[in-house]
Amino acid sequence: MTTLPTQLQHDLQALAGEGGYRDATERDVTEMRGRYRGGSTLVLRPKTTEIAAAIVSRCAEAQLPIIPIGGATGLVAGHIASENQTGVLLSTERLVNIREINSTDRQLVAEAGVILANVQAAATAKDLLFPLSLAAEGSCTIGGNLSTNAGGVQVLRYGNTRDLVLGVEAIMPNGEILNGLSPLRKNNTGYDIKNLLIGAEGTLGLITAASLKLYPSIKDSCTALCPVASPAAALALLSQLQHELGEFISAFELISGQGLHFLREHFPQLPQAISPPPEWSVVLELGSSAENELKKLAESALTKAIQKDLILDAVISQSETQRQQIWSLREHIPLANKKVGAIVSFDISLPLSKLALFIKTAVPKVQDFDGNLRINCFGHVGDGNLHFNVFPPIDKLACNYRSQQTEIRSAVYDLVQKMGGSFSAEHGVGRDKVSELLQYGDPTKLEVMASIKKALDPNGIFNPGAVIDPRK
Ligand SMILES: Cc1cc2nc3c(=O)[nH]c(=O)nc-3n(C[C@H](O)[C@H](O)[C@H](O)COP(=O)(O)OP(=O)(O)OC[C@H]3O[C@@H](n4cnc5c(N)ncnc54)[C@H](O)[C@@H]3O)c2cc1C
């Protein structure tokens, strides 16, 4: 990273005030899976929206790139500035107040740097629910969640982050504050700017706070782990359960046998609910805001599913500890994957009708490169979202396959495109998938995106190199 002009650095530090800046740490400049390393050395950490606005104004005047950063858990290098770029990291780590919780409005207003788990806990303390839930919830921030339009395990019932947001406060690229916090559920008054900022991955401004929708808390729940014969059987099971249990279904996750083998290898202390690991299984969670005897309903529905050969067995949690054990298996899968080291990781979505065929076709396609490649295919199958990760054979390393990475990526993405899917379901584009967006994105959509970026950020200071191709 090239150094900032001395006067500019001095001005920015003065605006940020005491405790308002620091040197970048390893966490700030390294992508979670270690695939990218960035260069920004100065991290600005405003304590208030007004200070953040003053910093953005000064950067706008100097046309200095700004890279917003939250919990640094993003998986597409959105917060990793390129090494030879001058700029600053603008962190929300001191914007950590929960400004309001209103039970009547069913609304919580959180500043952007509040860790997701703390938003959930604040809602729970008022006997309400904020349903966004993902394995990184102990470190990711609500600002990062909005900026990536995060998905997670309860999209099936509550939608993506976008569906959970009522309003947004943000600093636009010219330094002006957008005052969009609102408890309103209906507000058709012109363009929906909040929905431009949600999912923009920090390319259109800095989100400083959000009004979030709260739901009735869960009073009755039931979690089950069910081995299934195949992904097709998993989808048939989902369809049957949706007819029988409707909106009680809050999560429906696919786990592959390969994922359970990785867990055995790298987290042997985790109790494996079913032994030996089944080739495929699903985690099902039901939840209700009123007492509905969900365990009984689940037992009855899953017994029918066994009779119809949709599932091979079912472990239904009998206690909170057992429930957590089942979820812990699912949530440790990305961590085990990181320890094994993937050659390529895909976060794709497909129409549900194509999902089983995709897996059937993609696995041999990838193994054409090397029959011993290991594939851990898992994820939010109820939303058509698969994490399809390709690993080296047991005695090899991912770096042995560097020369084949691009070809494997193209083979899988071409298939996804052919089947009407998306090359990025929930992680976003960041810097990692800019070329895929160019290749697979609708040309008109790309033109509109470039026009919006030019209109709101004419000098391209917000997160240059992320999402939008820098040559556009
Ligand atoms: C173990 C693990 C599991 C995960 N599971 C899921 C999952 O199930 N579903 C899912 O969707 N994602 C998942 N992720 C990805 C990640 O957690 C999410 O993308 C999360 O929303 C990122 O939040 P963050 O605060 O860490 O953002 P960061 O990583 O800091 O930033 C992400 C992007 O948002 C921008 N940004 C951050 N804060 C702001 C802000 N206030 N204003 C404007 N731009 C901003 C950054 O510039 C960057 O482009 C997982 C990650 C890990 C490590």
Side-chain angles (χ1 to χ4, degrees), residues 32 68 70-74 78 134 140-141 144-145 147-148 150-152 201-202 205 207 380 426 463:
M32 272 306 277
T73 68
L134 45 140
C140 62
T141 63
N145 300 146
S147 302
T148 58
E201 300 180 59
I207 294 173
H380 318 300
E426 60 176 8
N463 216 354

mmCIF file with all atom_site columns, all heavy atoms in Angstrom, residues 32 68 70-74 78 134 140-141 144-145 147-148 150-152 201-202 205 207 380 426 463, ligand 1:
data_model
loop_
_atom_site.group_PDB
_atom_site.id
_atom_site.type_symbol
_atom_site.label_atom_id
_atom_site.label_alt_id
_atom_site.label_comp_id
_atom_site.label_asym_id
_atom_site.label_entity_id
_atom_site.label_seq_id
_atom_site.pdbx_PDB_ins_code
_atom_site.Cartn_x
_atom_site.Cartn_y
_atom_site.Cartn_z
_atom_site.occupancy
_atom_site.B_iso_or_equiv
_atom_site.pdbx_formal_charge
_atom_site.auth_seq_id
_atom_site.auth_comp_id
_atom_site.auth_asym_id
_atom_site.auth_atom_id
_atom_site.pdbx_PDB_model_num
ATOM   1   N N   . MET A 1 32  ? -10.734 -14.255 5.232  1.00 0.00 ? 32  MET A N   1
ATOM   2   C CA  . MET A 1 32  ? -10.981 -15.373 6.163  1.00 0.00 ? 32  MET A CA  1
ATOM   3   C C   . MET A 1 32  ? -10.285 -16.679 5.778  1.00 0.00 ? 32  MET A C   1
ATOM   4   O O   . MET A 1 32  ? -9.753  -17.381 6.597  1.00 0.00 ? 32  MET A O   1
ATOM   5   C CB  . MET A 1 32  ? -12.488 -15.695 6.195  1.00 0.00 ? 32  MET A CB  1
ATOM   6   C CG  . MET A 1 32  ? -13.327 -14.944 7.161  1.00 0.00 ? 32  MET A CG  1
ATOM   7   S SD  . MET A 1 32  ? -12.776 -15.017 8.839  1.00 0.00 ? 32  MET A SD  1
ATOM   8   C CE  . MET A 1 32  ? -13.442 -16.526 9.435  1.00 0.00 ? 32  MET A CE  1
ATOM   9   N N   . PRO A 1 68  ? -14.926 0.109   3.446  1.00 0.00 ? 68  PRO A N   1
ATOM   10  C CA  . PRO A 1 68  ? -15.639 -0.150  4.692  1.00 0.00 ? 68  PRO A CA  1
ATOM   11  C C   . PRO A 1 68  ? -15.301 -1.551  5.212  1.00 0.00 ? 68  PRO A C   1
ATOM   12  O O   . PRO A 1 68  ? -15.143 -2.487  4.421  1.00 0.00 ? 68  PRO A O   1
ATOM   13  C CB  . PRO A 1 68  ? -17.118 -0.081  4.286  1.00 0.00 ? 68  PRO A CB  1
ATOM   14  C CG  . PRO A 1 68  ? -17.145 0.643   2.991  1.00 0.00 ? 68  PRO A CG  1
ATOM   15  C CD  . PRO A 1 68  ? -15.860 0.300   2.317  1.00 0.00 ? 68  PRO A CD  1
ATOM   16  N N   . GLY A 1 70  ? -16.369 -4.347  8.533  1.00 0.00 ? 70  GLY A N   1
ATOM   17  C CA  . GLY A 1 70  ? -17.113 -4.685  9.746  1.00 0.00 ? 70  GLY A CA  1
ATOM   18  C C   . GLY A 1 70  ? -16.358 -5.759  10.507 1.00 0.00 ? 70  GLY A C   1
ATOM   19  O O   . GLY A 1 70  ? -15.256 -5.530  11.008 1.00 0.00 ? 70  GLY A O   1
ATOM   20  N N   . GLY A 1 71  ? -16.923 -6.966  10.528 1.00 0.00 ? 71  GLY A N   1
ATOM   21  C CA  . GLY A 1 71  ? -16.298 -8.059  11.280 1.00 0.00 ? 71  GLY A CA  1
ATOM   22  C C   . GLY A 1 71  ? -15.234 -8.821  10.512 1.00 0.00 ? 71  GLY A C   1
ATOM   23  O O   . GLY A 1 71  ? -14.634 -9.758  11.037 1.00 0.00 ? 71  GLY A O   1
ATOM   24  N N   . ALA A 1 72  ? -15.012 -8.454  9.256  1.00 0.00 ? 72  ALA A N   1
ATOM   25  C CA  . ALA A 1 72  ? -13.994 -9.100  8.397  1.00 0.00 ? 72  ALA A CA  1
ATOM   26  C C   . ALA A 1 72  ? -14.237 -10.605 8.232  1.00 0.00 ? 72  ALA A C   1
ATOM   27  O O   . ALA A 1 72  ? -13.290 -11.369 8.083  1.00 0.00 ? 72  ALA A O   1
ATOM   28  C CB  . ALA A 1 72  ? -12.580 -8.841  8.941  1.00 0.00 ? 72  ALA A CB  1
ATOM   29  N N   . THR A 1 73  ? -15.504 -11.020 8.253  1.00 0.00 ? 73  THR A N   1
ATOM   30  C CA  . THR A 1 73  ? -15.809 -12.446 8.049  1.00 0.00 ? 73  THR A CA  1
ATOM   31  C C   . THR A 1 73  ? -16.288 -12.725 6.623  1.00 0.00 ? 73  THR A C   1
ATOM   32  O O   . THR A 1 73  ? -16.616 -13.867 6.294  1.00 0.00 ? 73  THR A O   1
ATOM   33  C CB  . THR A 1 73  ? -16.900 -12.947 9.019  1.00 0.00 ? 73  THR A CB  1
ATOM   34  O OG1 . THR A 1 73  ? -18.141 -12.321 8.666  1.00 0.00 ? 73  THR A OG1 1
ATOM   35  C CG2 . THR A 1 73  ? -16.565 -12.637 10.463 1.00 0.00 ? 73  THR A CG2 1
ATOM   36  N N   . GLY A 1 74  ? -16.368 -11.702 5.803  1.00 0.00 ? 74  GLY A N   1
ATOM   37  C CA  . GLY A 1 74  ? -16.853 -11.872 4.427  1.00 0.00 ? 74  GLY A CA  1
ATOM   38  C C   . GLY A 1 74  ? -15.987 -12.872 3.673  1.00 0.00 ? 74  GLY A C   1
ATOM   39  O O   . GLY A 1 74  ? -14.785 -12.994 3.945  1.00 0.00 ? 74  GLY A O   1
ATOM   40  N N   . GLY A 1 78  ? -14.403 -8.685  -0.044 1.00 0.00 ? 78  GLY A N   1
ATOM   41  C CA  . GLY A 1 78  ? -14.992 -7.359  -0.229 1.00 0.00 ? 78  GLY A CA  1
ATOM   42  C C   . GLY A 1 78  ? -14.272 -6.276  0.554  1.00 0.00 ? 78  GLY A C   1
ATOM   43  O O   . GLY A 1 78  ? -14.279 -5.109  0.158  1.00 0.00 ? 78  GLY A O   1
ATOM   44  N N   . LEU A 1 134 ? -26.266 -17.103 11.362 1.00 0.00 ? 134 LEU A N   1
ATOM   45  C CA  . LEU A 1 134 ? -25.244 -17.757 10.546 1.00 0.00 ? 134 LEU A CA  1
ATOM   46  C C   . LEU A 1 134 ? -24.066 -18.124 11.433 1.00 0.00 ? 134 LEU A C   1
ATOM   47  O O   . LEU A 1 134 ? -23.933 -17.599 12.533 1.00 0.00 ? 134 LEU A O   1
ATOM   48  C CB  . LEU A 1 134 ? -24.809 -16.899 9.348  1.00 0.00 ? 134 LEU A CB  1
ATOM   49  C CG  . LEU A 1 134 ? -24.514 -15.431 9.523  1.00 0.00 ? 134 LEU A CG  1
ATOM   50  C CD1 . LEU A 1 134 ? -23.305 -15.059 8.692  1.00 0.00 ? 134 LEU A CD1 1
ATOM   51  C CD2 . LEU A 1 134 ? -25.694 -14.623 9.088  1.00 0.00 ? 134 LEU A CD2 1
ATOM   52  N N   . CYS A 1 140 ? -19.431 -11.436 12.935 1.00 0.00 ? 140 CYS A N   1
ATOM   53  C CA  . CYS A 1 140 ? -19.857 -10.519 11.862 1.00 0.00 ? 140 CYS A CA  1
ATOM   54  C C   . CYS A 1 140 ? -20.715 -9.400  12.453 1.00 0.00 ? 140 CYS A C   1
ATOM   55  O O   . CYS A 1 140 ? -21.302 -9.551  13.525 1.00 0.00 ? 140 CYS A O   1
ATOM   56  C CB  . CYS A 1 140 ? -20.600 -11.270 10.750 1.00 0.00 ? 140 CYS A CB  1
ATOM   57  S SG  . CYS A 1 140 ? -22.116 -12.075 11.266 1.00 0.00 ? 140 CYS A SG  1
ATOM   58  N N   . THR A 1 141 ? -20.788 -8.276  11.728 1.00 0.00 ? 141 THR A N   1
ATOM   59  C CA  . THR A 1 141 ? -21.539 -7.113  12.224 1.00 0.00 ? 141 THR A CA  1
ATOM   60  C C   . THR A 1 141 ? -22.834 -6.950  11.439 1.00 0.00 ? 141 THR A C   1
ATOM   61  O O   . THR A 1 141 ? -22.929 -7.407  10.289 1.00 0.00 ? 141 THR A O   1
ATOM   62  C CB  . THR A 1 141 ? -20.716 -5.825  12.036 1.00 0.00 ? 141 THR A CB  1
ATOM   63  O OG1 . THR A 1 141 ? -20.505 -5.643  10.625 1.00 0.00 ? 141 THR A OG1 1
ATOM   64  C CG2 . THR A 1 141 ? -19.377 -5.909  12.761 1.00 0.00 ? 141 THR A CG2 1
ATOM   65  N N   . GLY A 1 144 ? -22.165 -5.289  8.160  1.00 0.00 ? 144 GLY A N   1
ATOM   66  C CA  . GLY A 1 144 ? -21.640 -6.234  7.167  1.00 0.00 ? 144 GLY A CA  1
ATOM   67  C C   . GLY A 1 144 ? -22.747 -7.132  6.648  1.00 0.00 ? 144 GLY A C   1
ATOM   68  O O   . GLY A 1 144 ? -22.804 -7.451  5.451  1.00 0.00 ? 144 GLY A O   1
ATOM   69  N N   . ASN A 1 145 ? -23.659 -7.526  7.543  1.00 0.00 ? 145 ASN A N   1
ATOM   70  C CA  . ASN A 1 145 ? -24.775 -8.386  7.116  1.00 0.00 ? 145 ASN A CA  1
ATOM   71  C C   . ASN A 1 145 ? -25.647 -7.668  6.087  1.00 0.00 ? 145 ASN A C   1
ATOM   72  O O   . ASN A 1 145 ? -26.049 -8.261  5.092  1.00 0.00 ? 145 ASN A O   1
ATOM   73  C CB  . ASN A 1 145 ? -25.656 -8.794  8.310  1.00 0.00 ? 145 ASN A CB  1
ATOM   74  C CG  . ASN A 1 145 ? -24.919 -9.560  9.384  1.00 0.00 ? 145 ASN A CG  1
ATOM   75  O OD1 . ASN A 1 145 ? -25.223 -9.431  10.562 1.00 0.00 ? 145 ASN A OD1 1
ATOM   76  N ND2 . ASN A 1 145 ? -23.939 -10.353 8.998  1.00 0.00 ? 145 ASN A ND2 1
ATOM   77  N N   . SER A 1 147 ? -24.690 -5.146  4.202  1.00 0.00 ? 147 SER A N   1
ATOM   78  C CA  . SER A 1 147 ? -23.909 -4.845  2.994  1.00 0.00 ? 147 SER A CA  1
ATOM   79  C C   . SER A 1 147 ? -23.744 -6.056  2.098  1.00 0.00 ? 147 SER A C   1
ATOM   80  O O   . SER A 1 147 ? -23.575 -5.922  0.892  1.00 0.00 ? 147 SER A O   1
ATOM   81  C CB  . SER A 1 147 ? -22.541 -4.291  3.386  1.00 0.00 ? 147 SER A CB  1
ATOM   82  O OG  . SER A 1 147 ? -22.744 -3.138  4.162  1.00 0.00 ? 147 SER A OG  1
ATOM   83  N N   . THR A 1 148 ? -23.769 -7.267  2.697  1.00 0.00 ? 148 THR A N   1
ATOM   84  C CA  . THR A 1 148 ? -23.649 -8.474  1.874  1.00 0.00 ? 148 THR A CA  1
ATOM   85  C C   . THR A 1 148 ? -25.023 -9.129  1.659  1.00 0.00 ? 148 THR A C   1
ATOM   86  O O   . THR A 1 148 ? -25.100 -10.191 1.049  1.00 0.00 ? 148 THR A O   1
ATOM   87  C CB  . THR A 1 148 ? -22.729 -9.510  2.557  1.00 0.00 ? 148 THR A CB  1
ATOM   88  O OG1 . THR A 1 148 ? -23.257 -9.824  3.854  1.00 0.00 ? 148 THR A OG1 1
ATOM   89  C CG2 . THR A 1 148 ? -21.306 -8.990  2.710  1.00 0.00 ? 148 THR A CG2 1
ATOM   90  N N   . ALA A 1 150 ? -26.727 -10.822 3.807  1.00 0.00 ? 150 ALA A N   1
ATOM   91  C CA  . ALA A 1 150 ? -26.423 -12.185 4.273  1.00 0.00 ? 150 ALA A CA  1
ATOM   92  C C   . ALA A 1 150 ? -27.680 -13.057 4.337  1.00 0.00 ? 150 ALA A C   1
ATOM   93  O O   . ALA A 1 150 ? -28.792 -12.564 4.539  1.00 0.00 ? 150 ALA A O   1
ATOM   94  C CB  . ALA A 1 150 ? -25.748 -12.111 5.642  1.00 0.00 ? 150 ALA A CB  1
ATOM   95  N N   . GLY A 1 151 ? -27.469 -14.347 4.154  1.00 0.00 ? 151 GLY A N   1
ATOM   96  C CA  . GLY A 1 151 ? -28.571 -15.323 4.170  1.00 0.00 ? 151 GLY A CA  1
ATOM   97  C C   . GLY A 1 151 ? -28.612 -16.071 5.488  1.00 0.00 ? 151 GLY A C   1
ATOM   98  O O   . GLY A 1 151 ? -29.253 -15.652 6.436  1.00 0.00 ? 151 GLY A O   1
ATOM   99  N N   . GLY A 1 152 ? -27.919 -17.196 5.535  1.00 0.00 ? 152 GLY A N   1
ATOM   100 C CA  . GLY A 1 152 ? -27.887 -17.975 6.772  1.00 0.00 ? 152 GLY A CA  1
ATOM   101 C C   . GLY A 1 152 ? -28.930 -19.076 6.796  1.00 0.00 ? 152 GLY A C   1
ATOM   102 O O   . GLY A 1 152 ? -29.483 -19.454 5.755  1.00 0.00 ? 152 GLY A O   1
ATOM   103 N N   . GLU A 1 201 ? -22.216 -4.097  -0.844 1.00 0.00 ? 201 GLU A N   1
ATOM   104 C CA  . GLU A 1 201 ? -20.864 -4.485  -0.410 1.00 0.00 ? 201 GLU A CA  1
ATOM   105 C C   . GLU A 1 201 ? -19.931 -3.278  -0.254 1.00 0.00 ? 201 GLU A C   1
ATOM   106 O O   . GLU A 1 201 ? -18.754 -3.333  -0.635 1.00 0.00 ? 201 GLU A O   1
ATOM   107 C CB  . GLU A 1 201 ? -20.274 -5.533  -1.365 1.00 0.00 ? 201 GLU A CB  1
ATOM   108 C CG  . GLU A 1 201 ? -21.124 -6.801  -1.426 1.00 0.00 ? 201 GLU A CG  1
ATOM   109 C CD  . GLU A 1 201 ? -20.560 -7.845  -2.362 1.00 0.00 ? 201 GLU A CD  1
ATOM   110 O OE1 . GLU A 1 201 ? -19.427 -8.275  -2.157 1.00 0.00 ? 201 GLU A OE1 1
ATOM   111 O OE2 . GLU A 1 201 ? -21.280 -8.232  -3.304 1.00 0.00 ? 201 GLU A OE2 1
ATOM   112 N N   . GLY A 1 202 ? -20.485 -2.204  0.271  1.00 0.00 ? 202 GLY A N   1
ATOM   113 C CA  . GLY A 1 202 ? -19.658 -1.041  0.581  1.00 0.00 ? 202 GLY A CA  1
ATOM   114 C C   . GLY A 1 202 ? -19.240 -0.236  -0.634 1.00 0.00 ? 202 GLY A C   1
ATOM   115 O O   . GLY A 1 202 ? -18.340 0.586   -0.549 1.00 0.00 ? 202 GLY A O   1
ATOM   116 N N   . GLY A 1 205 ? -21.522 3.546   -0.280 1.00 0.00 ? 205 GLY A N   1
ATOM   117 C CA  . GLY A 1 205 ? -21.540 4.350   0.936  1.00 0.00 ? 205 GLY A CA  1
ATOM   118 C C   . GLY A 1 205 ? -21.313 3.481   2.155  1.00 0.00 ? 205 GLY A C   1
ATOM   119 O O   . GLY A 1 205 ? -21.147 2.260   2.043  1.00 0.00 ? 205 GLY A O   1
ATOM   120 N N   . ILE A 1 207 ? -22.897 2.171   5.610  1.00 0.00 ? 207 ILE A N   1
ATOM   121 C CA  . ILE A 1 207 ? -24.091 2.028   6.446  1.00 0.00 ? 207 ILE A CA  1
ATOM   122 C C   . ILE A 1 207 ? -23.657 2.262   7.893  1.00 0.00 ? 207 ILE A C   1
ATOM   123 O O   . ILE A 1 207 ? -22.684 1.657   8.366  1.00 0.00 ? 207 ILE A O   1
ATOM   124 C CB  . ILE A 1 207 ? -24.701 0.621   6.279  1.00 0.00 ? 207 ILE A CB  1
ATOM   125 C CG1 . ILE A 1 207 ? -25.234 0.457   4.853  1.00 0.00 ? 207 ILE A CG1 1
ATOM   126 C CG2 . ILE A 1 207 ? -25.812 0.372   7.308  1.00 0.00 ? 207 ILE A CG2 1
ATOM   127 C CD1 . ILE A 1 207 ? -25.707 -0.940  4.498  1.00 0.00 ? 207 ILE A CD1 1
ATOM   128 N N   . HIS A 1 380 ? -27.815 -24.549 2.505  1.00 0.00 ? 380 HIS A N   1
ATOM   129 C CA  . HIS A 1 380 ? -29.185 -24.159 2.805  1.00 0.00 ? 380 HIS A CA  1
ATOM   130 C C   . HIS A 1 380 ? -30.079 -24.688 1.678  1.00 0.00 ? 380 HIS A C   1
ATOM   131 O O   . HIS A 1 380 ? -30.598 -23.915 0.858  1.00 0.00 ? 380 HIS A O   1
ATOM   132 C CB  . HIS A 1 380 ? -29.258 -22.641 2.916  1.00 0.00 ? 380 HIS A CB  1
ATOM   133 C CG  . HIS A 1 380 ? -28.089 -22.039 3.677  1.00 0.00 ? 380 HIS A CG  1
ATOM   134 N ND1 . HIS A 1 380 ? -27.828 -22.368 4.992  1.00 0.00 ? 380 HIS A ND1 1
ATOM   135 C CD2 . HIS A 1 380 ? -27.122 -21.165 3.313  1.00 0.00 ? 380 HIS A CD2 1
ATOM   136 C CE1 . HIS A 1 380 ? -26.751 -21.692 5.401  1.00 0.00 ? 380 HIS A CE1 1
ATOM   137 N NE2 . HIS A 1 380 ? -26.299 -20.968 4.393  1.00 0.00 ? 380 HIS A NE2 1
ATOM   138 N N   . GLU A 1 426 ? -25.236 -16.153 -1.605 1.00 0.00 ? 426 GLU A N   1
ATOM   139 C CA  . GLU A 1 426 ? -25.373 -15.313 -0.418 1.00 0.00 ? 426 GLU A CA  1
ATOM   140 C C   . GLU A 1 426 ? -24.094 -14.584 -0.015 1.00 0.00 ? 426 GLU A C   1
ATOM   141 O O   . GLU A 1 426 ? -24.147 -13.656 0.782  1.00 0.00 ? 426 GLU A O   1
ATOM   142 C CB  . GLU A 1 426 ? -25.899 -16.132 0.783  1.00 0.00 ? 426 GLU A CB  1
ATOM   143 C CG  . GLU A 1 426 ? -25.010 -17.297 1.177  1.00 0.00 ? 426 GLU A CG  1
ATOM   144 C CD  . GLU A 1 426 ? -25.478 -18.048 2.424  1.00 0.00 ? 426 GLU A CD  1
ATOM   145 O OE1 . GLU A 1 426 ? -26.574 -17.781 2.922  1.00 0.00 ? 426 GLU A OE1 1
ATOM   146 O OE2 . GLU A 1 426 ? -24.729 -18.923 2.892  1.00 0.00 ? 426 GLU A OE2 1
ATOM   147 N N   . ASN A 1 463 ? -14.926 1.635   -1.998 1.00 0.00 ? 463 ASN A N   1
ATOM   148 C CA  . ASN A 1 463 ? -14.546 0.240   -2.241 1.00 0.00 ? 463 ASN A CA  1
ATOM   149 C C   . ASN A 1 463 ? -14.199 -0.051  -3.702 1.00 0.00 ? 463 ASN A C   1
ATOM   150 O O   . ASN A 1 463 ? -14.755 -0.989  -4.316 1.00 0.00 ? 463 ASN A O   1
ATOM   151 C CB  . ASN A 1 463 ? -15.659 -0.703  -1.751 1.00 0.00 ? 463 ASN A CB  1
ATOM   152 C CG  . ASN A 1 463 ? -15.067 -1.976  -1.156 1.00 0.00 ? 463 ASN A CG  1
ATOM   153 O OD1 . ASN A 1 463 ? -13.842 -2.176  -1.218 1.00 0.00 ? 463 ASN A OD1 1
ATOM   154 N ND2 . ASN A 1 463 ? -15.903 -2.829  -0.626 1.00 0.00 ? 463 ASN A ND2 1
HETATM 155 C C1  . LIG B 2 .   ? -17.864 -19.478 9.398  1.00 0.00 ? 1   LIG B C1  1
HETATM 156 C C2  . LIG B 2 .   ? -18.601 -18.556 8.476  1.00 0.00 ? 1   LIG B C2  1
HETATM 157 C C3  . LIG B 2 .   ? -19.917 -18.827 8.145  1.00 0.00 ? 1   LIG B C3  1
HETATM 158 C C4  . LIG B 2 .   ? -20.621 -17.971 7.299  1.00 0.00 ? 1   LIG B C4  1
HETATM 159 N N1  . LIG B 2 .   ? -21.914 -18.263 7.008  1.00 0.00 ? 1   LIG B N1  1
HETATM 160 C C5  . LIG B 2 .   ? -22.607 -17.448 6.204  1.00 0.00 ? 1   LIG B C5  1
HETATM 161 C C6  . LIG B 2 .   ? -23.975 -17.742 5.894  1.00 0.00 ? 1   LIG B C6  1
HETATM 162 O O1  . LIG B 2 .   ? -24.535 -18.749 6.308  1.00 0.00 ? 1   LIG B O1  1
HETATM 163 N N2  . LIG B 2 .   ? -24.634 -16.863 5.102  1.00 0.00 ? 1   LIG B N2  1
HETATM 164 C C7  . LIG B 2 .   ? -24.039 -15.726 4.607  1.00 0.00 ? 1   LIG B C7  1
HETATM 165 O O2  . LIG B 2 .   ? -24.699 -14.969 3.888  1.00 0.00 ? 1   LIG B O2  1
HETATM 166 N N3  . LIG B 2 .   ? -22.752 -15.434 4.879  1.00 0.00 ? 1   LIG B N3  1
HETATM 167 C C8  . LIG B 2 .   ? -22.019 -16.262 5.659  1.00 0.00 ? 1   LIG B C8  1
HETATM 168 N N4  . LIG B 2 .   ? -20.717 -15.970 5.933  1.00 0.00 ? 1   LIG B N4  1
HETATM 169 C C9  . LIG B 2 .   ? -20.091 -14.770 5.351  1.00 0.00 ? 1   LIG B C9  1
HETATM 170 C C10 . LIG B 2 .   ? -20.075 -13.537 6.289  1.00 0.00 ? 1   LIG B C10 1
HETATM 171 O O3  . LIG B 2 .   ? -20.202 -13.874 7.612  1.00 0.00 ? 1   LIG B O3  1
HETATM 172 C C11 . LIG B 2 .   ? -21.163 -12.571 5.913  1.00 0.00 ? 1   LIG B C11 1
HETATM 173 O O4  . LIG B 2 .   ? -20.898 -12.114 4.608  1.00 0.00 ? 1   LIG B O4  1
HETATM 174 C C12 . LIG B 2 .   ? -21.297 -11.350 6.830  1.00 0.00 ? 1   LIG B C12 1
HETATM 175 O O5  . LIG B 2 .   ? -22.513 -10.719 6.497  1.00 0.00 ? 1   LIG B O5  1
HETATM 176 C C13 . LIG B 2 .   ? -20.160 -10.351 6.726  1.00 0.00 ? 1   LIG B C13 1
HETATM 177 O O6  . LIG B 2 .   ? -20.243 -9.421  7.813  1.00 0.00 ? 1   LIG B O6  1
HETATM 178 P P1  . LIG B 2 .   ? -18.936 -8.677  8.353  1.00 0.00 ? 1   LIG B P1  1
HETATM 179 O O7  . LIG B 2 .   ? -19.342 -7.720  9.407  1.00 0.00 ? 1   LIG B O7  1
HETATM 180 O O8  . LIG B 2 .   ? -17.904 -9.661  8.740  1.00 0.00 ? 1   LIG B O8  1
HETATM 181 O O9  . LIG B 2 .   ? -18.498 -7.872  7.065  1.00 0.00 ? 1   LIG B O9  1
HETATM 182 P P2  . LIG B 2 .   ? -17.032 -7.673  6.404  1.00 0.00 ? 1   LIG B P2  1
HETATM 183 O O10 . LIG B 2 .   ? -16.460 -8.996  6.069  1.00 0.00 ? 1   LIG B O10 1
HETATM 184 O O11 . LIG B 2 .   ? -16.208 -6.781  7.255  1.00 0.00 ? 1   LIG B O11 1
HETATM 185 O O12 . LIG B 2 .   ? -17.420 -6.921  5.082  1.00 0.00 ? 1   LIG B O12 1
HETATM 186 C C14 . LIG B 2 .   ? -18.171 -7.549  4.084  1.00 0.00 ? 1   LIG B C14 1
HETATM 187 C C15 . LIG B 2 .   ? -18.471 -6.535  2.961  1.00 0.00 ? 1   LIG B C15 1
HETATM 188 O O13 . LIG B 2 .   ? -19.354 -5.527  3.437  1.00 0.00 ? 1   LIG B O13 1
HETATM 189 C C16 . LIG B 2 .   ? -18.731 -4.228  3.407  1.00 0.00 ? 1   LIG B C16 1
HETATM 190 N N5  . LIG B 2 .   ? -19.128 -3.579  4.666  1.00 0.00 ? 1   LIG B N5  1
HETATM 191 C C17 . LIG B 2 .   ? -18.943 -4.023  5.937  1.00 0.00 ? 1   LIG B C17 1
HETATM 192 N N6  . LIG B 2 .   ? -19.535 -3.192  6.803  1.00 0.00 ? 1   LIG B N6  1
HETATM 193 C C18 . LIG B 2 .   ? -20.100 -2.188  6.066  1.00 0.00 ? 1   LIG B C18 1
HETATM 194 C C19 . LIG B 2 .   ? -20.859 -1.039  6.391  1.00 0.00 ? 1   LIG B C19 1
HETATM 195 N N7  . LIG B 2 .   ? -21.171 -0.724  7.640  1.00 0.00 ? 1   LIG B N7  1
HETATM 196 N N8  . LIG B 2 .   ? -21.279 -0.235  5.378  1.00 0.00 ? 1   LIG B N8  1
HETATM 197 C C20 . LIG B 2 .   ? -20.978 -0.523  4.085  1.00 0.00 ? 1   LIG B C20 1
HETATM 198 N N9  . LIG B 2 .   ? -20.265 -1.605  3.732  1.00 0.00 ? 1   LIG B N9  1
HETATM 199 C C21 . LIG B 2 .   ? -19.837 -2.426  4.709  1.00 0.00 ? 1   LIG B C21 1
HETATM 200 C C22 . LIG B 2 .   ? -17.245 -4.489  3.256  1.00 0.00 ? 1   LIG B C22 1
HETATM 201 O O14 . LIG B 2 .   ? -16.576 -3.448  2.544  1.00 0.00 ? 1   LIG B O14 1
HETATM 202 C C23 . LIG B 2 .   ? -17.243 -5.795  2.456  1.00 0.00 ? 1   LIG B C23 1
HETATM 203 O O15 . LIG B 2 .   ? -17.421 -5.519  1.088  1.00 0.00 ? 1   LIG B O15 1
HETATM 204 C C24 . LIG B 2 .   ? -19.986 -16.820 6.775  1.00 0.00 ? 1   LIG B C24 1
HETATM 205 C C25 . LIG B 2 .   ? -18.660 -16.535 7.113  1.00 0.00 ? 1   LIG B C25 1
HETATM 206 C C26 . LIG B 2 .   ? -17.975 -17.396 7.943  1.00 0.00 ? 1   LIG B C26 1
HETATM 207 C C27 . LIG B 2 .   ? -16.564 -17.045 8.294  1.00 0.00 ? 1   LIG B C27 1
#
